[in-house]
Amino acid sequence: MQSLLTGDALWALGQVIMIDLVLAGDNAVVIGLAASGLPRDQRNKAILVGIIAATVLRIVFAALTTQLLQILGLILVGGILLLWVCWKMWRELRDGHGEEEGLEAVTGEDINADGTIGAPPGRKSFAQAAWQIIIADVSMSLDNVLAVAGAAREHPGVLIIGLALSVALMGLAASVIAKLLQKHRWIAYLGLAVILYVALDMIYRGILEVYPALM
């Protein structure tokens, strides 16, 4: 417990909490966007399945990633993957493409006051939506676990707290967080900056780890 009260551990914990908040909300919007074109009853079922799947995947990846990051070179690969996540998030924040439809589908509210919630039904089948959600869940759950593991670094206690918080937020409060991020955009940009910092730090540490083995 005392190891969590050091300055370095508290700094890592702050990064982990911000990463969890931003990626939980972003994941919820992506799930909502994938389910947005379904009829209301199928949409709610798809969103529920998507959130449950994302929660389970976070647990599975958490069990695997902490071991995998011990393999030479995977910290570097993880940092590069997070850099791509940053670019993807930056484009989404800048363009806002389809974000309101996804948020409406998750929260059930008419955010843009156009008289509809989500996209008009009939644009895709349940199977198509489910496949899109599975792909998004796998990608974003891995991104989340990598980012948390990268931020926690040498602090196992922070890593455990971060992964548990990630699972809890995705399972219980994803739609609330998505709405909060939509209303207060600066939180999303701050989270993006934290993830960028973690990505660059992982790349730097990964290069230092790999370089002696290549010489």
Side-chain angles (χ1 to χ4, degrees), residues 163-179:
L163 294 175
L165 181 62
S166 169
V167 170
L169 290 177
M170 196 63 233
L172 302 175
S175 62
V176 176
I177 295 168
K179 191 175 180 180

Side-chain angles (χ1 to χ4, degrees), residues 188-208:
Y189 281 106
L190 180 59
L192 176 62
V194 171
I195 296 171
L196 177 61
Y197 169 81
V198 171
L200 293 176
D201 183 58
M202 287 179 72
I203 290 172
Y204 174 72
R205 288 187 292 122
I207 291 173
L208 291 182

Side-chain angles (χ1 to χ4, degrees), residues 122-193:
R123 298 201 320 196
K124 65 180 71 171
S125 67
F126 184 85
Q128 288 174 320
W131 182 242
Q132 290 177 7
I133 288 171
I134 289 170
I135 294 173
D137 278 345
V138 170
S139 173
M140 299 194 73
S141 296
L142 180 58
D143 296 344
N144 183 270
V145 172
L146 277 174
V148 169
R153 294 186 295 275
E154 306 302 323
H155 303 285
V158 173
L159 177 60
I160 292 170
I161 292 171
L163 294 175
L165 181 62
S166 169
V167 170
L169 290 177
M170 196 63 233
L172 302 175
S175 62
V176 176
I177 295 168
K179 191 175 180 180
L180 176 69
L181 295 177
Q182 173 70 14
K183 187 176 181 180
H184 302 287
R185 305 287 286 181
W186 65 269
I187 300 177
Y189 281 106
L190 180 59
L192 176 62

Side-chain angles (χ1 to χ4, degrees), residues 35-45 120-122 124-126:
S36 183
L38 295 173
R40 187 176 182 84
D41 57 334
Q42 292 187 3
R43 178 193 307 162
N44 293 339
K45 187 187 300 183
K124 65 180 71 171
S125 67
F126 184 85

